[in-house]
Amino acid sequence: MSFNITNLETIVTSIWDSYLPFVEKSKIDPFNCFYHQSSGLHNEGNWHNSIMGIVYVKLYEQTKKEIYKQATIKLANSLFELNFDLTTKTFRMRTHSVYFDHSTASGYLFD
């Protein structure tokens, strides 16, 4: 599978740029901010985070830029800590964390 590295890096940078440091003290609106810098999470679903993890691995393989290797490690650790159930040895479907605010999400998604 072929992809344009420059375009992929632009997309990742844009997602990272959606992070607002002043929001770190409160919950993040998942419709306007797609990245939580200190945890490395992209919202709280396994799917979103797993796809971004694959993107990071591919970018690191192609560019050898340490930033993508570190992003992969941070994301994997946060995803494991938040969503992996050690008892059942499976990932939970979705686990709400203290990072994202879903109070307005339910009405938006189902209207």
Side-chain angles (χ1 to χ4, degrees):
M1 177 180 193
S2 154
F3 52 90
N4 183 307
I5 296 297
T6 304
N7 290 347
L8 200 50
E9 286 189 290
T10 300
I11 291 168
V12 168
T13 302
S14 297
I15 290 171
W16 287 350
D17 287 347
S18 77
Y19 172 73
L20 303 171
F22 63 87
V23 179
E24 183 80 21
K25 297 178 179 108
S26 62
K27 291 188 177 187
I28 296 171
D29 174 4
F31 296 111
N32 296 307
C33 181
F34 309 108
Y35 178 66
H36 182 260
Q37 189 176 53
S38 62
S39 70
L41 292 172
H42 300 271
N43 211 307
E44 294 166 333
N46 291 324
W47 186 87
H48 299 95
N49 289 299
S50 296
I51 294 298
M52 287 306 297
I54 292 167
V55 168
Y56 292 156
V57 168
K58 289 294 188 186
L59 280 170
Y60 179 71
E61 287 176 348
Q62 296 295 316
T63 67
K64 301 301 182 208
K65 291 181 181 177
E66 188 68 20
I67 192 166
Y68 299 122
K69 180 179 179 182
Q70 293 306 314
T72 304
I73 292 167
K74 184 192 301 187
L75 178 59
N77 287 338
S78 290
L79 189 57
F80 181 80
E81 289 171 15
L82 181 66
N83 283 6
F84 193 75
D85 185 339
L86 289 170
T87 304
T88 63
K89 307 282 193 259
T90 60
F91 280 96
R92 298 177 186 100
M93 288 180 57
R94 180 179 296 263
T95 304
H96 285 227
S97 70
V98 297
Y99 306 127
F100 293 91
D101 180 5
H102 295 277
S103 63
T104 60
S106 60
Y108 179 80
L109 293 173
F110 300 108
D111 281 347

